[in-house]
Amino acid sequence: MKALITAVALLLASLSTPLWAADSISVTQLKQEMAEGKSPIIIDVRDEDEYLAGHIPGAIMVPAKNMEHHLDMLEQYKKDQIVLYCVSGRRASAAATALENAGFKNVKLLEGNYPGWKAAQ
């Protein structure tokens, strides 16, 4: 019985932990860094039609579904801070995992994603 209780406790603890390891950055903090000329590498992981409808200035588009195919291109940014965003956070989280698994160490998710950015305008 004790083993069952321990297993349930571990399961519940794992459910409260985010599925990604990336830190986050607020829209305010990102805007401040951009204004100070310290802009991180900003990657929009949405699809092309979403990107073309509007995106954060300076963001490059790398759809989350293609992230692993663009790791060679992104290699030059391996030591830089990278900020990812999408609409809800799901695609950005998946892209963050792909980057972290490829050895990128400074990956952040934009709090509120693109809707949060738009709301702050």
Side-chain angles (χ1 to χ4, degrees), residues 3 9 13 35 39-41 57 76-77 82 86 97 105:
S39 183
I41 305 304
Q76 62 185 319
Y77 305 121
I82 297 175
C86 60
T97 299
K105 303 287 187 212

Side-chain angles (χ1 to χ4, degrees), residues 93-116:
S93 297
T97 299
L99 288 173
E100 289 171 340
N101 288 342
F104 290 77
K105 303 287 187 212
N106 196 0
V107 179
K108 295 185 178 182
L109 301 171
L110 181 61
E111 294 173 7
N113 290 284
Y114 190 66

Side-chain angles (χ1 to χ4, degrees), residues 44-94:
D44 185 327
V45 300
R46 301 174 301 157
D47 292 330
E48 184 177 12
D49 58 331
E50 294 170 292
Y51 179 85
L52 293 174
H55 57 273
I56 295 174
I60 58 175
M61 184 194 73
V62 181
K65 63 186 175 194
N66 299 330
M67 184 61 69
E68 292 178 352
H69 301 292
H70 294 290
L71 292 175
D72 287 342
M73 175 194 73
L74 297 172
E75 184 74 22
Q76 62 185 319
Y77 305 121
K78 206 165 198 171
K79 295 184 183 191
D80 297 326
Q81 176 180 231
I82 297 175
V83 175
L84 304 170
Y85 71 90
C86 60
V87 175
S88 69
R90 174 173 273 156
R91 291 177 284 180
S93 297

Side-chain angles (χ1 to χ4, degrees), residues 25-36 38-42 56-57 81 83-85 110-111 117:
I25 184 171
S26 70
V27 169
T28 303
Q29 186 177 357
L30 177 59
K31 284 183 170 206
Q32 181 177 349
E33 289 182 14
M34 292 170 75
E36 293 172 356
K38 301 176 186 174
S39 183
I41 305 304
I42 304 169
I56 295 174
Q81 176 180 231
V83 175
L84 304 170
Y85 71 90
L110 181 61
E111 294 173 7
W117 176 268

